[in-house]
C-alpha cells in the first residue's frame, strides 16, 4: 500500500560531504513522503544490532567503526513500494556496480564509503525503523500532493 515505510540513512561520509540535501531531494522528487528524520551519532552496540546479519563478515569491524565515526542522518520514508524503489534509488551496494543516476552511482567510489543505507526488505525495514526511532518520532501527515502522485 501507499503506507509502506523504509529506513534510509545518510552515512557519516555522506553527511560530511554535504549529501543530505541531494539524497533527500531524490526521495522527495520521486514522490515519497518523509515521516521521520534526525541526526544521530550511533554507538557501536547500536550499529552491531543494525548490521547483525553481517557479523561474520571480514569487513564487519570496519563497517561498524565507520558508521560510528560521525553523525548519521536517519530517516523514515513512506510510499508505495518504497523499500524496493528506495534500494533502486540508492543503487548497487558496490559503487563500481552502481548505475549512474543512482545515489551511489553518482556520489561515491569505495564500497566502504558508499554514503547511504536503505532497508533491503519490508521486514528488515520494520526492524530497522523500530531500532532507530521511537514510535513517537514518526509523524503521520497527509501530503497535499497525494492525489497527484497516486491514482
Ligand atoms: P547494502 O548497504 O547495500 O544493504 P549490505 O547490507 O550487504 O549492503 O552491506 C552493508 C554495508 O557493508 C554496505 O553498504 C557497505 C559494507 N560492505 C558490504 N560489502 C562489503 C565488502 N565486500 N567490503 C567492504 N564493505 C562492504
Ligand atoms: Mg543491507
Amino acid at each position: 500500500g501507499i503506507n509502506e515505510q523504509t529506513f534510509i540513512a545518510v552515512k557519516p561520509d555522506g553527511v560530511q560531504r554535504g549529501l543530505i540535501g541531494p539524497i533527500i531531494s531524490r526521495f522527495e522528487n520521486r514522490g515519497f513522503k518523509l515521516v521521520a528524520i534526525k541526526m544521530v551519532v550511533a554507538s557501536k552496540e547500536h550499529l552491531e544490532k543494525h548490521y547483525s546479519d553481517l557479523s561474520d563478515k571480514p569487513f564487519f569491524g570496519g563497517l561498524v567503526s565507520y558508521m560510528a565515526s560521525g553523525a548519521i542522518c536517519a530517516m523514515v520514508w513512506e510510499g508505495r513500494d518504497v523499500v524496493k524503489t528506495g534500494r533502486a534509488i540508492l543503487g548497487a551496494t558496490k559503487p563500481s556496480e552502481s548505475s549512474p543516476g543512482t545515489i551511489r552511482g553518482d556520489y561515491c567510489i569505495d564500497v566502504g564509503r558508499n554514503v547511504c543505507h536503505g532497508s533491503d526488505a519490508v521486514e528488515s525495514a520494520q526492524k530497522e525503523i523500530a531500532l532507530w526511532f521511537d514510535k513517537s518520532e514518526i509523524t503521520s501527515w497527509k501530503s497535499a500532493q497525494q492525489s497527484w502522485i497516486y491514482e
Side-chain angles (χ1 to χ4, degrees), residues 22 32 39 66-67 99 116 118 123 131 139 150:
F32 291 123
M39 298 303 297
Y66 148 60
M67 290 292 286
S99 302
C116 53
E123 226 183 36
L131 178 65
T139 311
Y150 298 105

Side-chain angles (χ1 to χ4, degrees), residues 11 50-51 53-54 63 87 93 104 117-121 124 128:
K11 295 179 177 180
H50 173 75
Y51 280 128
D53 290 356
L54 301 173
L63 173 62
R87 293 284 294 190
T93 302
R104 288 163 171 169
H117 168 83
S119 309
D120 63 7
S124 49
E128 291 173 3

Side-chain angles (χ1 to χ4, degrees), residues 7-68:
F7 175 66
I8 299 293
V10 184
K11 295 179 177 180
D13 50 333
V15 170
Q16 288 292 346
R17 293 179 55 205
L19 297 175
I20 294 174
I23 290 171
I24 286 178
S25 289
R26 287 173 183 235
F27 282 84
E28 225 174 20
N29 292 346
R30 186 68 184 258
F32 291 123
K33 184 169 72 173
L34 183 61
V35 296
I37 183 167
K38 63 181 173 186
M39 298 303 297
V40 192
V41 179
S43 68
K44 288 197 174 180
E45 293 70 31
H46 182 89
L47 293 160
E48 283 163 5
K49 276 188 208 160
H50 173 75
Y51 280 128
S52 58
D53 290 356
L54 301 173
S55 59
D56 55 353
K57 300 283 184 193
F59 56 82
F60 184 69
L63 173 62
V64 168
S65 304
Y66 148 60
M67 290 292 286

